[in-house]
Amino acid sequence: MFFQQIRTQIFLTAAGLTALTLSSNAIAIPFNAVDARSMAMGGTGTASAYPGAAPVFNPALLSHFDKDERAEIIVPNIGVTAFADPGAIDAFQDIDDENYIGNITTAIDNINAGDNFSSNRDIFIDNSLGLTRSLVDLSNKPFNFSGGVLFSAAIPDSNFGWAVYSTTDAIVETTPIISACDKTLLAKYAALASEWDSPSDIQPNVEITCPAGRRIQITDANAMLIDPKHDLSSSVFLAGVGISELGFSMAHAFETDAFRISIGFTPKAVFLKTYFSRPTVQELDDPNFDIGESLRSTTNTKSDFNLDAGLALDFFEDRSLTVGIVAKYLLPKSYRTATFRTAFGDVSTKFNLNTQTRVAVAWKGPLGITLASDIDLTRNAGYFTGIDTQYAGVGVEFDVVNILRIRTGFRGNLLDEGDAAATIGLGFNIVDVVHIDFGGQIGENNAGFATQLAINF
């Protein structure tokens, strides 16, 4: 069906675009890194990350570890997440379940053939109004996909802890843009049909005017009904960005009688590759239209420089309580995609890399227990059409005799109650050298998975 094809195209293209950006030759990670341990512990890490992940959570942690903390290499960490607006899920499900488009087409064919006029007129009206309601619910509801890869080598030390890392993060944001004309067309068509008591009531060459002044013919010269799906002008907004970083993190700790404070910095090269497309529903329905080619034709690349900074304060004699704060992208930047040519003119979009800050606390307790909590201090806008986020998360880890690590937690978006997830994961320590970690998150409207292979020496 027509809108089923749109939904399928959204998911297939987003998956392909994620793979495309991840395979680019640049290397980075977004603020909410898809680290396997972090994902399993509610997205925490600013005060609790291990050395290998410290560069992407808080570089100050490289000088906060105990003296016996060993170097760590991550080779690699891979994670993916997805979010769909709850209203969009319900609207798509309603369109699928009710088969509005198919019923409208069948009813029009039957009316034009003179079969059971009253019954098919009612079917047409009911399905047109039902589709209109679903389109209203579907309009401008985002679908977000992301995937990340991290490589790092870290040597923690209180005097000079350091790490080199490279990450690639692909973000895809896609949104159905349902035009006001489509909703008006269906509503007016249904209202007009309610006035017909017999085929003789249908007038030839009837037109409907949309809010923007566009005129659409709904009957031909022979008073035959024209299927409205051919005049739908809705489109799909699809934009993606591969944000890649190559960075060097460094940290130093200062000891006092009351606490230890670690300060860390990460100068980094940032590489960006953007894609943008906004095909109409007719283009998506055209077998000759290649969405992949339309995206490749709008590829835009950019390189830049940025800086992260962080603090970590360790309290108590055993330094078991840590408070961390980090600021990423201290140099805010704005970027614009290449243009995409449409029947209505050339269009493009922009996105910002704004400074993001997060504060956290972690406690290492007895019996191998670690408790952690992170919260964003800034409201972080979606890159294109994605929802704004301000995450808060809590997590716990239980280290069973340094062999098995059991983790769980919860992450929620303070700006959107529908964006919440329970998290869980496991970590395996093999001969105290090789670490394999798995993490997952699941919510009513989102899901994610991450895995990591790390080596200590």
Side-chain angles (χ1 to χ4, degrees):
M1 303 313 300
F2 204 59
F3 279 86
Q4 286 176 313
Q5 292 172 342
I6 296 177
R7 183 180 63 176
T8 302
Q9 189 71 60
I10 288 173
F11 281 98
L12 291 179
T13 304
L17 184 55
T18 301
L20 181 63
T21 51
L22 281 174
S23 64
S24 65
N25 57 5
I27 343 172
I29 205 157
F31 184 81
N32 194 34
V34 284
D35 171 75
R37 180 172 181 258
S38 170
M39 182 179 289
M41 297 175 64
T44 59
T46 305
S48 56
Y50 286 161
V56 296
F57 282 102
N58 184 354
L61 295 179
L62 290 166
S63 287
H64 118 102
F65 294 101
D66 296 331
K67 292 183 179 180
D68 61 351
E69 189 69 43
R70 296 177 298 166
E72 183 177 30
I73 298 176
I74 295 178
V75 286
N77 183 97
I78 300 173
V80 293
T81 63
F83 172 84
D85 187 281
I89 294 175
D90 293 341
F92 265 131
Q93 191 63 52
D94 186 56
I95 290 173
D96 278 354
D97 291 345
E98 300 299 332
N99 192 25
Y100 292 128
I101 298 293
N103 291 339
I104 289 172
T105 297
T106 300
I108 287 177
D109 290 342
N110 290 335
I111 290 173
N112 288 335
D115 297 337
N116 299 319
F117 179 84
S118 296
S119 175
N120 281 290
R121 176 204 59 195
D122 293 342
I123 292 174
F124 171 79
I125 293 172
D126 290 344
N127 282 271
S128 294
L129 294 177
L131 180 57
T132 302
R133 288 191 298 268
S134 292
L135 291 180
V136 171
D137 292 338
L138 187 60
S139 183
N140 300 321
K141 297 297 193 302
F143 296 78
N144 305 327
F145 304 82
S146 67
V149 179
L150 163 67
F151 296 86
S152 72
I155 298 181
D157 186 88
S158 59
N159 289 320
F160 184 70
W162 63 272
V164 292
Y165 77 95
S166 63
T167 66
T168 298
D169 186 73
I171 301 97
V172 179
E173 295 180 1
T174 179
T175 302
I177 307 297
I178 309 302
S179 73
C181 188
D182 288 357
K183 292 178 281 190
T184 299
L185 171 63
L186 291 167
K188 287 187 175 181
Y189 210 150
L192 186 61
S194 66
E195 300 174 0
W196 300 332
D197 293 323
S198 68
S200 61
D201 294 330
I202 302 176
Q203 301 298 312
N205 298 318
V206 175
E207 290 185 339
I208 287 176
T209 303
C210 288
R214 180 185 173 202
R215 300 180 67 83
I216 298 175
Q217 191 170 344
I218 65 172
T219 66
D220 62 18
N222 299 315
M224 294 287 103
L225 300 181
I226 299 173
D227 195 331
K229 78 178 184 182
H230 300 298
D231 291 298
L232 297 176
S233 58
S234 296
S235 61
V236 175
F237 177 102
L238 179 61
V241 57
I243 303 180
S244 300
E245 298 176 5
L246 179 61
F248 179 79
S249 299
M250 63 197 88
H252 178 71
F254 301 89
E255 295 280 354
T256 71
D257 293 338
F259 59 85
R260 175 176 60 192
I261 180 171
S262 301
I263 302 174
F265 297 93
T266 302
K268 57 188 180 182
V270 181
F271 308 89
L272 303 104
K273 182 175 286 189
T274 61
Y275 309 84
F276 176 63
S277 180
R278 189 172 170 176
T280 64
V281 289
Q282 283 84 1
E283 286 176 315
L284 291 174
D285 201 38
D286 183 354
N288 296 319
F289 178 75
D290 187 343
I291 186 71
E293 179 58 34
S294 75
L295 289 168
R296 285 189 290 273
S297 68
T298 59
T299 302
N300 195 19
T301 60
K302 176 76 174 178
S303 60
D304 220 325
F305 170 83
N306 223 296
L307 180 70
D308 300 341
L311 294 173
L313 288 82
D314 299 315
F315 296 93
F316 303 143
E317 185 176 350
D318 59 358
R319 308 305 192 203
S320 59
L321 180 68
T322 301
V323 175
I325 184 169
V326 67
K328 303 195 72 173
Y329 295 107
L330 286 171
L331 308 175
K333 301 291 180 71
S334 181
Y335 306 94
R336 180 165 288 277
T337 68
T339 59
F340 177 72
R341 181 159 295 177
T342 74
F344 307 100
D346 292 349
V347 294
S348 65
T349 189
K350 70 175 183 178
F351 67 96
N352 300 315
L353 286 181
N354 294 324
T355 301
Q356 301 168 310
T357 58
R358 176 175 286 194
V359 65
V361 61
W363 176 65
K364 292 182 179 180
L367 304 176
I369 294 176
T370 299
L371 302 177
S373 178
D374 284 33
I375 184 170
D376 289 341
L377 299 180
T378 48
R379 181 188 186 109
N380 303 315
Y383 285 98
F384 303 107
T385 60
I387 62 172
D388 290 355
T389 62
Q390 189 171 359
Y391 286 128
V394 293
V396 59
E397 176 183 68
F398 180 36
D399 190 339
V400 182
V401 297
N402 201 32
I403 296 176
L404 174 65
R405 290 163 180 158
I406 303 170
R407 301 162 181 144
T408 189
F410 179 83
R411 177 195 60 74
N413 183 356
L414 301 179
L415 306 178
D416 188 336
E417 62 181 14
D419 183 15
T423 65
I424 194 169
L426 293 173
F428 301 92
N429 184 4
I430 302 173
V431 297
D432 202 29
V433 175
V434 177
H435 301 269
I436 301 174
D437 297 290
F438 302 95
Q441 64 181 41
I442 186 68
E444 182 180 359
N445 309 302
N446 57 49
F449 176 77
T451 184
Q452 181 180 111
L453 173 64
I455 301 172
N456 287 110
F457 60 92

